[in-house]
Structure formats: structure tokens, C-alpha cells
Amino acid sequence: MMADRAIRCARIFDGHVWHDDAVLLIDGAHSAGVVTRGDVPAGTSMEDAQGSVLAPGFVDLQVNGGGGVLFNEQPTLEGIRTICQAHARFGTTALLPTLITDTPQITEAAIGAAVDAARASVPGFLGLHLEGPHLSWARRGAHREDLVRPMEESDLRRLVDASAALPVLLVTIAPENVTPDQVARLVAGGVRVSLGHTECSRETALAYVAAGAGLATHLFNAMSPLGHREPGLVGAVLDESALSAGLIADGFHVDPAVIRIALRAKAPPGRIFLVTDAMATIGTDMEGFILNGRKVHRSMGRLTLDDGTLAGADIDMAASVRFLENEVGLPFETSLLMTSRYPAEAIGIGAAKGMLRRGADADFVELDDACRVVRSHVGGVHAFDCRHG
């Protein structure tokens, strides 16, 4: 067993089971597994965790901004770097910068910035999420109506080309503006397809699952609801085992009772996992920002346009875990799974992210008794330490 570092902690969750009074072995940028103190190789450098719990780093598949940067307004390498650094403070060690529906020029810039971030191996950068522009006009939410449009052949080719240059490319689409054949071609080209911002029926949703769509974007929000005669996309997500879905747990997007109902109803192996849908405000005292030329207001943890439409979320992943525990009543272990292993598995990277077993990336977080981040690590390297800001 090879290891160059070891971190001792009172409790370690490896993404599958708990270990008490255990040690995480680290071999370079990878985990070498969790062992007892007596099984630490001789000569291995040992340190004590600063928190009371050590767990896999959080994986967030929908991050619009952070640290004062909104990706739509700053689709650059430095913008991505700032967003990743901002979320590392809150335990997120792998994320998808997310571009909301925008112009072709901004979309092109975002893809270019993501490719640059991949080449630069920006700590915490996982890939790219394009949320639009091929959505439903009826369920567009905060997406600008004049920017929503059908997918064309040139769009499809650009996405497939981008997928070849990125670790992960996730695209949210609506059946109203993308065909099943286009979805099949995207998936064949390595793109992960998520259904969202759509009025589609359950039957239509299942046709897109058959074409290769495997996820749904922010469950319950901007999608056809569950009805007793027409289950809609919500019903398709809960009943279809091949679908996984992100969910925003901030108290504004989904009621806690609905979260509990959804978790009881979800057919495995597909899972419900957490996303933050975080905006530029994370880690700042900003009172608002501009999105596609429109003012977004920040008040009491809520982000809205002038007409009251929710425009993303003002929550980090550690706070989302606390919400699941305190307001939804979930076991701590379930909350950790929903923020780490489940999202990693949803995009096919479960062997590398979301767990601390041998060979996985050494992305982990140290939490105190109140589930606040003490330190976070990306690839075995400190990304945040609360003692140093």
C-alpha cells in the first residue's frame, strides 16, 4: 500500500460507510483508502484533521457564479478560477460552471474558457454545464425569452466538438426545441443531456430518455408538474429508474415536505442529488447583480428579478447540507451522499469523485460539529483553510 500522507480523524465517511477513529491515506493526488491507525504504512507523514468529520468533497453540477463573478458576465478562464475558489470555501471541490441562456457569442466564449480551464487544470473545475438556450419558452423561468431558440445543426456540431475537449459537458435541453435524434447524436458524441425548462409530458420525457437523456435539471422547478392524470416531467423523474435529478435545497425553490416525498418516491438506481444553482453572491456581501441586462435583487437569501421570478439561488453546498438536516430531517449520511457520490455517479465519474476509496481523487472536506467547513482539499492539496481565510 503506497501513501505519502495520512490524515487522522474521529469520523470518516468514505462515500459508502462510516469509519470511527480512522485514517485517510493519500498517495499524491489520489486516495489510498481509509484504514485503522495500526494499518498506516511506516514512515507515512501523519496529521490530524482540524474538523470532527472528514467526508468526500462536494460535487456541484450547477454553479452560475460565486465570489462576485457571474459566469454569463465573465465567461473567462479567470472567471472560472474565481468561481471555483469561492466555492472551495464551502466544501465544493468539483463543480460545473454553468452558463444560463445567452447569445451565441457568449456561449462560444464560455466554451472557450472551459477548454482553457481544462488545459490549465484549474483546481475544482469539473467541466461545463450549458443550461440553454434550447429550452421551452413557456417554462423558461429567468432565461430571457428572446434568447431561447431551437437547436440547429451548427449548435449540435459545436457541442460535440466541445465535449471532445472537456472532461464533462452537460447540456440542459427541452423537447420543445430539441429532437430525440439530436439528443441521440449528442449522447453519442459524449455530451451528458439533462431535461429541464420544459412543459413536456411523461411520455415525451421517456422518449428522450430512450434517446439517451439521463438527468433532469432542478427537479420541480421550471418543469411540467406531477398530476394524477398527466405525471409530467416530475412524474417521469420519480418513476423512471434511468433518470437522476438535481434539486435545490434552499427553502425557496422546493418545500421541505416535497423533498421528503420525492426522496421516498424516487425509483433507483437513478438518484436525486443536490445542486446549488448558486449565483455571483456566494462568498460576498453583494446586494444584487446583472443577468442578461436585468437586475437581480438579493434579499433574505432569495434572488429575484423585478417581477419576483426566482433567478438562481443564494446558497452554498455546506448550507444546503445543513438545510437537509435541519429542515428536511434527513440523516447526515444521506445529505453527504446527495452532495458527493450521487452527483458524481449521475455524470459517470463515480470512480473518481464523490468517494474516498482507493484510486479516487483525493478531494475531501473537513467539517465541524455544525457542518461548517474547516478545510477543503482538491487533489490532496489544501484549497481552503478557515484559519487562513
Side-chain angles (χ1 to χ4, degrees):
M1 183 185 303
M2 299 292 294
D4 50 37
R5 289 173 58 208
I7 299 182
R8 182 170 49 216
C9 191
R11 297 200 80 199
I12 298 178
F13 182 63
D14 69 5
H16 293 268
V17 296
W18 286 100
H19 304 262
D20 292 324
D21 191 22
V23 177
L24 172 67
L25 299 179
I26 301 169
D27 181 17
H30 297 92
S31 166
V34 179
V35 299
T36 65
R37 294 193 190 194
D39 288 331
V40 176
T44 303
S45 173
M46 177 76 77
E47 63 181 276
D48 286 314
Q50 301 301 306
S52 58
V53 170
L54 192 151
F58 304 142
V59 179
D60 196 342
L61 306 187
Q62 191 168 359
V63 180
N64 309 297
V69 169
L70 185 67
F71 192 41
N72 281 69
E73 300 299 319
Q74 194 173 333
T76 64
L77 172 60
E78 285 310 308
I80 290 174
R81 196 184 303 275
T82 297
I83 292 168
C84 291
Q85 289 172 344
H87 285 269
R89 293 178 52 191
F90 304 102
T92 296
T93 57
L95 62 81
L96 295 180
T98 301
L99 188 79
I100 298 166
T101 296
D102 215 309
T103 64
Q105 293 76 21
I106 294 295
T107 302
E108 185 71 21
I111 292 172
V115 172
D116 289 343
R119 289 172 178 161
S121 299
V122 172
F125 174 77
L126 184 57
L128 179 65
H129 181 175
L130 296 175
E131 189 186 358
H134 314 300
L135 309 176
S136 158
W137 286 283
R139 289 281 181 176
R140 68 184 184 279
H143 295 243
R144 244 176 59 179
E145 182 176 12
D146 61 316
L147 296 176
V148 173
R149 59 185 179 82
M151 179 175 288
E152 299 177 356
E153 181 64 23
S154 59
D155 298 314
L156 192 151
R157 288 199 305 268
R158 184 67 184 97
L159 292 173
V160 171
D161 288 345
S163 177
L166 292 170
V168 175
L169 177 59
L170 175 64
V171 177
T172 295
I173 62 94
E176 289 89 333
N177 270 324
V178 181
T179 69
D181 178 68
Q182 287 174 321
V183 168
R185 291 172 62 194
L186 288 171
V187 173
V191 180
R192 299 278 173 173
V193 175
S194 184
L195 302 176
H197 288 274
T198 176
E199 275 279 272
C200 74
S201 67
R202 173 182 176 273
E203 182 180 5
T204 297
L206 294 184
Y208 280 72
V209 172
L215 299 94
T217 296
H218 44 50
L219 182 62
F220 295 108
N221 289 277
M223 65 174 60
S224 46
L226 174 65
H228 66 292
R229 291 194 176 94
E230 171 45 64
L233 180 53
V234 170
V237 168
L238 298 181
D239 190 54
E240 174 52 54
S241 62
L243 278 174
S244 292
L247 183 142
I248 306 167
D250 64 351
F252 302 111
H253 283 80
V254 186
D255 186 274
V258 175
I259 296 176
R260 288 191 291 270
I261 291 167
L263 290 174
R264 289 196 297 269
K266 180 69 186 99
R271 300 288 190 177
I272 295 172
F273 56 88
L274 288 193
V275 294
T276 61
D277 201 21
M279 292 299 220
T281 52
I282 300 303
T284 78
D285 58 2
M286 298 169 67
E287 296 182 355
F289 55 91
I290 301 299
L291 170 64
N292 296 140
R294 300 160 299 167
K295 178 71 173 181
V296 176
H297 307 273
R298 184 189 201 186
S299 177
M300 305 293 289
R302 186 182 177 103
L303 300 176
T304 58
L305 298 175
D306 287 338
D307 64 1
T309 300
L310 286 172
D314 188 22
I315 194 167
D316 60 78
M317 198 61 96
S320 298
V321 172
R322 295 193 295 271
F323 182 87
L324 287 184
E325 276 200 280
N326 300 330
E327 303 300 327
V328 182
L330 296 187
F332 187 35
E333 174 184 318
T334 301
S335 302
L336 292 177
L337 286 168
M338 290 177 66
T339 58
S340 56
R341 199 180 102 205
Y342 291 171
E345 289 177 344
I347 57 170
I349 59 168
K353 304 287 185 183
M355 66 174 184
L356 296 175
R357 294 192 168 181
R358 187 179 302 178
D361 293 342
D363 295 354
F364 55 98
V365 60
E366 299 173 38
L367 304 169
D368 65 16
D369 291 334
C371 194
R372 298 189 182 277
V373 176
V374 178
R375 293 194 299 183
S376 58
H377 311 248
V378 178
V381 177
H382 289 160
F384 170 74
D385 189 327
C386 69
R387 300 167 298 178
H388 304 115

